[in-house]
Amino acid sequence: MPRVSAPAGAAAGSPRGAGDLRKGTSNMSFEELLELQSQEGTKTYKQSVARNSTKKQGSRPPVQNVCVVDKHRPLEMSAKVRVPFLRQVVPISKKVARDPRFDDLSGEYNPEVFDKTYQFLHDIRAKEKKLVKKQLKKHHSREKHEKLQQLLQRMEQQEMAQQEQKRQQELRLALKREQRAQAQQGRRPYFLKKSEQRQLALAEKFKELKRSKKLDSFLNRKRRRNAGKDRRHLPLSKE
């Protein structure tokens, strides 16, 4: 095997010899490198190889910065996992619905203020009721007559429900006024239970029916309704 002799400048330890040594080691075989290490010395050989590797690493082109991924691009799914049938491809901002009835921004519900504000609706409903009654007298068609009759009945039921609600509201206001009066006199106010409030509301309803002379018809309907309920609980007769 031919022996490789180091350059003269390398033995003297000159910078020029070290540069030639670094250039020559890139094309040498492993046996030639071992022989060169034995001739130059382990310390000198390691320093030259370390400088050579550092120079190679520094000569590499700088890695460019990875661009920022667009958040609106389609989502990349793995091929190993089954893609779901419904998936969100593009993020969509969720619209939050705002219900003014349950929102604090709309303020607190006050029945008295509400009735005063929308008092004009009662006048509109009264005019509509008169118009329906006039149309009911004019139309003689059976189908049209039934539709108008159902509409008039629904409007009357709504009116009765509003009157009942207004009566209960007046009763609650009367109880509150009585409690305030007791507190001003120095006495401890008495708060009625829900069952007692229902009894007072029922008593007021009976008084109103008695004044309008509809108490008998109301009691008859109540008896028939209760008799029908009792009849359901009776055992079936065996024939």
Side-chain angles (χ1 to χ4, degrees):
M1 178 184 299
R3 298 178 63 85
V4 179
S5 60
S14 62
R16 183 179 176 183
D20 296 338
L21 180 61
R22 288 195 298 271
K23 292 179 182 178
T25 54
S26 60
N27 298 324
M28 289 183 181
S29 64
F30 185 69
E31 294 179 356
E32 293 175 347
L33 290 173
L34 289 177
E35 187 175 356
L36 180 61
Q37 182 180 357
S38 63
Q39 290 179 3
E40 296 294 330
T42 305
K43 186 175 181 180
T44 307
Y45 173 76
K46 287 183 177 181
Q47 290 177 357
S48 62
V49 172
R51 291 194 194 97
N52 194 9
S53 61
T54 307
K55 186 177 179 181
K56 286 183 179 180
Q57 291 178 1
S59 62
R60 293 179 182 177
V63 180
Q64 296 180 356
N65 294 330
V66 182
C67 61
V68 180
V69 180
D70 187 8
K71 64 179 181 178
H72 298 295
R73 69 171 187 174
L75 183 63
E76 297 180 4
M77 306 297 292
S78 175
K80 298 180 181 180
V81 182
R82 185 177 180 180
V83 180
F85 178 71
L86 297 174
R87 70 180 188 276
Q88 187 177 359
V89 180
V90 179
I92 302 173
S93 58
K94 185 178 179 182
K95 295 182 179 180
V96 180
R98 176 179 172 272
D99 194 342
R101 298 174 299 173
F102 308 106
D103 198 345
D104 295 337
L105 297 176
S106 302
E108 296 181 358
Y109 173 69
N110 191 346
E112 298 178 5
V113 178
F114 184 84
D115 291 339
K116 290 179 181 179
T117 306
Y118 295 97
Q119 183 66 31
F120 64 94
L121 293 177
H122 299 290
D123 302 334
I124 295 174
R125 291 194 187 99
K127 292 179 181 179
E128 290 178 350
K129 187 177 178 181
K130 290 180 181 179
L131 183 62
V132 171
K133 286 182 178 180
K134 288 181 180 179
Q135 291 180 357
L136 190 61
K137 293 178 181 179
K138 290 180 181 180
H139 292 282
H140 300 285
S141 176
R142 183 177 179 182
E143 183 179 358
K144 190 71 175 177
H145 191 275
E146 288 180 356
K147 288 183 179 180
L148 291 172
Q149 188 69 31
Q150 291 176 1
L151 179 59
L152 181 62
Q153 186 177 1
R154 185 165 63 250
M155 294 173 72
E156 289 176 352
Q157 289 176 356
Q158 290 176 356
E159 187 178 357
M160 290 174 62
Q162 290 174 0
Q163 290 177 0
E164 180 66 24
Q165 186 177 2
K166 187 176 181 180
R167 187 163 48 250
Q168 292 180 3
Q169 182 180 347
E170 290 176 354
L171 180 61
R172 286 195 296 269
L173 291 175
L175 291 174
K176 285 183 179 179
R177 284 194 293 267
E178 186 178 353
Q179 291 169 2
R180 290 196 195 99
Q182 290 179 1
Q184 290 177 358
Q185 293 175 5
R187 292 183 296 176
R188 184 177 180 182
Y190 176 72
F191 297 96
L192 296 176
K193 300 178 182 178
K194 289 185 178 181
S195 58
E196 295 174 347
Q197 293 179 8
R198 285 195 295 268
Q199 290 177 1
L200 286 176
L202 188 61
E204 290 292 331
K205 186 176 181 180
F206 269 82
K207 290 179 182 178
E208 183 66 26
L209 290 171
K210 193 172 183 180
R211 281 196 298 266
S212 60
K213 298 180 180 180
K214 296 180 180 178
L215 182 60
D216 295 334
S217 59
F218 174 77
L219 292 176
N220 290 332
R221 287 198 305 271
K222 194 77 172 175
R223 290 193 195 96
R224 287 196 298 269
R225 194 180 301 117
N226 292 336
K229 290 180 181 179
D230 295 339
R231 198 177 296 114
R232 290 194 213 116
H233 297 289
L234 293 175
L236 297 175
S237 60
K238 296 182 180 179
E239 296 181 355

